[in-house]
Amino acid sequence: MNLSIFFEPLNEDIFAQLDKPRTLGAYIGRFTGKFPDWRSADIALIGVNERRGQGTVEQHSVAPARVVRQKLYNLHKGAGRCHIVDLGNLRPGITLDDTYLRLKEIVEVLISHNTIPVIIGGSHDLEYGQYMGYEHMERVVNMVTVDSSVDMTEDLDVPANRKQLRQILMHEPNFLFSLGQVGYQSYLVDPEVMATLEKLHFEAYRVGEVHRSMQEMEPVVRMADLLTFDISAIRHQDAPGSTPANPFGLTGEEACQLCWYAGLNDNMTSLGIYEYDPELDDRELTATTIATMVWYFIEGFYHRKNETEFSSSKFTKYAVAFNDNPDRMVFYKSKKSEKWWLEVEPLSDDKGPRIVPCSYEDYLQAIKGEVPNRWILTQARIG
């Protein structure tokens, strides 16, 4: 497929000083004259200057991804291989729905060729297009979104970037197995929305829970096929380039940690970072934060362990028995990374067990005779 028809080439002038040896700029193949060979790339960067989902018809005078590129390309490459392409900026569709469909088609083609799209810029509702790119896979998928609010309102009068999760949940065919909401702030979310997430057996973590135990977010991110990140989830001190300004939230370091987890995740096949507004970005601090997040994602990717064969000798199997109960709870621990997984039995006999990421704390809870909440939620979703 000729993906180049969807993209605008990049201007050479912004790369004049970005080809320093041993920096990412010297290794990324970019769309300036000839469209890069994305089929053999590990990761493809995509810029999107589309904010009609915010309720405005005007696009940014400066494409968000342009500023991020200037920061990212100057960062030093880590050790090991680096096969990344920059496809340029997506040409927005005539309508917002057209942009969703273009993004869907691009994501679908890239992940079908084992190339991970990293989407930068645009309003958060574009995650709907990112999500639809998985429809062709004919299996359920897992999604994690990092946001200070939960974009699931039923109000028809609000902009699209405040209700795209509802679009995702209502989409037919429904292929969403799990949703993890990370970093939300209770005073920004309608209690009825949280009640809906609970009824659907989805996981949700307040920003205080992230602060308290970042390590417990690792299995949440490890569960996901796709991750979306609303920059408003990061506090204003570290990322001023978003609306509305948020004095509280994740730190830039925590955002990078989540992206590192995402990169390490063997099942993660797309990342979207949304709601960056360069016109509000004091001293381009947000662009630096986003560039560093992408750097950590890239580094995480090149440190993947390919831990998916649980029957192999690479894992230690633990069976936890409960008092006065013939059933056992089975855990797996990787001998290489020391990460944990949990085997969840379905409620019905016609379905097989599912192995999901968990934490050491889940194992400790089980040996105390308590059923981990992650096991309960997963079993409820399996049915």
Side-chain angles (χ1 to χ4, degrees):
M1 180 181 181
N2 183 16
L3 286 183
S4 64
I5 62 175
F6 293 112
F7 292 93
E8 298 173 349
L10 303 169
N11 294 327
E12 288 278 10
D13 61 326
I14 71 171
F15 302 108
Q17 305 297 323
L18 301 183
D19 285 331
K20 299 176 183 177
R22 293 182 296 278
T23 62
L24 282 177
Y27 288 85
I28 297 176
R30 49 189 177 262
F31 182 25
T32 51
K34 182 181 178 181
F35 201 64
D37 180 14
W38 55 269
R39 289 179 176 84
S40 60
D42 298 317
I43 296 171
L45 304 178
I46 298 172
V48 185
N49 187 16
E50 169 66 90
R51 61 173 185 170
R52 282 175 288 187
Q54 296 173 337
T56 178
V57 296
E58 296 180 358
Q59 306 293 18
H60 294 292
S61 58
V62 177
R66 175 189 173 104
V67 192
V68 175
R69 287 183 177 103
Q70 291 174 325
K71 304 296 181 182
L72 177 64
Y73 280 36
N74 270 314
L75 300 181
H76 285 277
K77 184 185 81 70
R81 57 181 288 189
C82 180
H83 196 177
I84 303 171
V85 294
D86 190 335
L87 302 184
N89 295 319
L90 177 69
R91 300 179 188 273
I94 297 175
T95 67
L96 183 56
D97 286 336
D98 289 336
T99 302
Y100 296 155
L101 292 175
R102 288 187 181 187
L103 194 56
K104 170 197 172 181
E105 190 167 352
I106 292 164
V107 170
E108 178 179 324
V109 170
L110 288 174
I111 64 178
S112 295
H113 288 80
N114 298 315
T115 300
I116 297 178
V118 174
I119 305 158
I120 303 170
S123 49
H124 198 187
D125 55 291
L126 293 172
E127 73 174 0
Y128 181 50
Q130 181 184 346
Y131 166 78
M132 287 195 297
Y134 289 78
E135 187 173 337
H136 72 287
M137 300 183 72
E138 297 183 350
R139 68 169 178 85
V140 293
V141 300
N142 306 297
M143 175 177 171
V144 168
T145 181
V146 184
D147 198 343
S148 58
S149 61
V150 182
D151 300 327
M152 209 169 71
T153 179
E154 297 183 15
D155 189 347
L156 299 178
D157 295 328
V158 302
N161 66 346
R162 291 181 56 190
K163 54 187 177 185
Q164 77 275 358
L165 281 181
R166 179 173 173 77
Q167 280 184 288
I168 290 173
L169 295 177
M170 299 296 291
H171 181 76
E172 292 292 342
N174 180 10
F175 52 94
L176 182 68
F177 177 73
S178 72
L179 172 68
Q181 178 81 34
V182 175
Y184 79 93
Q185 298 172 31
S186 299
Y187 44 82
L188 298 178
V189 182
D190 188 328
E192 292 186 3
V193 170
M194 298 309 303
T196 300
L197 292 182
E198 186 175 351
K199 289 178 182 177
L200 294 171
H201 310 292
F202 291 153
E203 296 182 77
Y205 298 89
R206 297 187 303 275
V207 67
E209 294 176 281
V210 181
H211 291 326
R212 187 161 51 250
S213 183
M214 173 59 71
Q215 290 182 341
E216 287 299 303
M217 298 302 106
E218 189 278 331
V220 180
V221 175
R222 187 161 28 111
M223 181 77 175
D225 295 284
L226 66 154
L227 174 69
T228 75
F229 211 116
D230 189 320
I231 288 300
S232 70
I234 305 175
R235 63 183 186 178
H236 183 265
Q237 300 96 306
D238 294 347
S242 65
T243 302
N246 189 357
F248 309 105
L250 303 174
T251 66
E253 182 179 356
E254 289 168 337
C256 290
Q257 186 73 58
L258 291 171
C259 288
W260 167 256
Y261 290 154
L264 285 173
N265 176 6
D266 294 316
N267 297 317
M268 180 70 64
T269 49
S270 73
L271 168 67
I273 301 176
Y274 303 108
E275 295 292 344
Y276 170 47
D277 187 343
E279 296 165 11
L280 301 175
D281 194 12
D282 183 34
R283 301 173 67 181
E284 299 181 345
L285 180 60
T286 312
T288 300
T289 298
I290 295 173
T292 311
M293 290 164 60
V294 174
W295 186 93
Y296 271 99
F297 179 83
I298 294 170
E299 280 298 289
F301 173 83
Y302 287 114
H303 283 80
R304 290 186 174 185
K305 309 296 184 184
N306 296 317
E307 298 175 315
T308 55
E309 297 295 330
F310 297 101
S311 60
S312 71
S313 60
K314 297 178 182 180
F315 291 85
T316 303
K317 183 177 179 179
Y318 297 85
V320 179
F322 290 89
N323 294 332
D324 303 323
N325 192 325
D327 295 332
R328 298 182 305 165
M329 191 171 293
V330 177
F331 290 83
Y332 297 89
K333 180 184 178 183
S334 167
K335 296 179 181 179
K336 183 184 294 186
S337 67
E338 298 189 347
K339 293 178 181 177
W340 289 80
W341 283 262
L342 170 63
E343 186 173 290
V344 180
E345 296 288 341
L347 293 170
S348 58
D349 296 332
D350 60 336
K351 297 180 180 179
R354 181 181 288 265
I355 299 176
V356 299
C358 70
S359 68
Y360 179 55
E361 292 301 319
D362 292 317
Y363 172 71
L364 293 179
Q365 191 174 356
I367 62 177
K368 292 178 183 177
E370 302 173 4
V371 179
N373 187 58
R374 183 168 282 117
W375 192 93
I376 297 172
L377 292 176
T378 303
Q379 189 184 64
R381 289 196 297 267
I382 295 176

